[in-house]
Amino acid sequence: MHRPLSFVSESGYIRSNERGDMTMQQEVLATVRASTPRRWLGVGMLAVVGALVLYVAAATPPEPAWQVFLVLVGIAAFWLAHRMWTATADWIELTKTEMRTGSGRVIAYVDSIEAVDRGVFAFKPSNGFLVRTKEGQANAWAPGLWWRLGRRVGIGGMTSAAETKFMSEALSILLMNRPAEGQGSAQ
């Protein structure tokens, strides 16, 4: 996993982001964390599904092809439970310039975000919101916390609805207050 280099200087906390820029660590405007009860429930349910499927494969073996299928599904459920547990140990932070994980991985830069969609019919995670960026990025997925498919980024899942709503509103305000494209700052 790529972790940006960071160090402390007289001027404050400095971090090298994924673009390679040395940037001043900014104030965190909003934070989204996985809800502890939802985290335990989600991971527990996946582990129970994995255990039940493996039990069925071992206790009442069907045809060999189906038995292999059941074993693969059981292993995949345990793998997903582990992946979800590690992903939801992290959190998401919003600053004036980027949306990133607590470990420093940049999810999206604010200047590359076109819109925030938290409507009822948006293809978004549970208790979350959808962000559309100007250009596509590599697909990524942190089960229960966030995902990115091309130009779309979904934030939410095992998160608190209040935290994600606050972050989406803060992000919307940042987008409204940025200068329009093609306009420079007046001097």
Side-chain angles (χ1 to χ4, degrees):
M1 176 181 208
H2 170 69
R3 292 189 70 152
L5 300 173
S6 59
F7 59 92
V8 178
S9 72
E10 289 180 16
S11 60
Y13 189 67
I14 308 293
R15 175 181 279 167
S16 171
N17 60 23
E18 289 180 358
R19 291 182 181 176
D21 306 329
M22 294 302 285
T23 58
M24 185 71 175
Q25 182 71 15
Q26 296 182 2
E27 176 186 2
V28 175
L29 303 174
T31 303
V32 172
R33 295 181 189 274
S35 165
T36 302
R38 288 180 192 192
R39 184 177 185 214
W40 279 96
L41 187 64
V43 171
M45 289 170 65
L46 281 171
V48 167
V49 166
L52 286 174
V53 170
L54 290 176
Y55 173 76
V56 168
T60 57
E63 296 177 23
W66 284 108
Q67 189 170 16
V68 169
F69 173 75
L70 289 174
V71 168
L72 290 176
V73 168
I75 291 170
F78 278 117
W79 172 80
L80 185 58
H82 171 71
R83 180 111 191 263
M84 186 177 290
W85 183 257
T86 56
T88 55
D90 206 355
W91 61 91
I92 300 172
E93 299 174 338
L94 174 66
T95 67
K96 289 182 180 180
T97 59
E98 64 192 15
M99 192 174 358
R100 64 176 181 237
T101 64
S103 61
R105 183 176 184 182
V106 175
I107 298 171
Y109 290 97
V110 173
D111 61 356
S112 71
I113 295 176
E114 284 183 341
V116 176
D117 189 1
R118 55 183 178 255
V120 176
F121 299 109
F123 179 67
K124 61 183 177 60
S126 171
N127 292 331
F129 60 95
L130 182 70
V131 172
R132 285 192 322 257
T133 59
K134 294 175 184 173
E135 60 271 339
Q137 296 181 8
N139 297 340
W141 182 41
L145 201 57
W146 67 276
W147 53 260
R148 179 176 50 221
L149 291 172
R151 295 181 51 224
R152 302 200 187 290
V153 178
I155 305 293
M158 294 186 165
T159 58
S160 163
E163 287 180 349
T164 53
K165 182 177 182 184
F166 180 76
M167 181 178 278
S168 69
E169 289 174 355
L171 186 55
S172 295
I173 291 170
L174 283 175
L175 296 179
M176 285 190 322
N177 291 335
R178 71 179 172 192
E181 289 195 29
Q183 294 180 357
S185 59
Q187 296 195 9

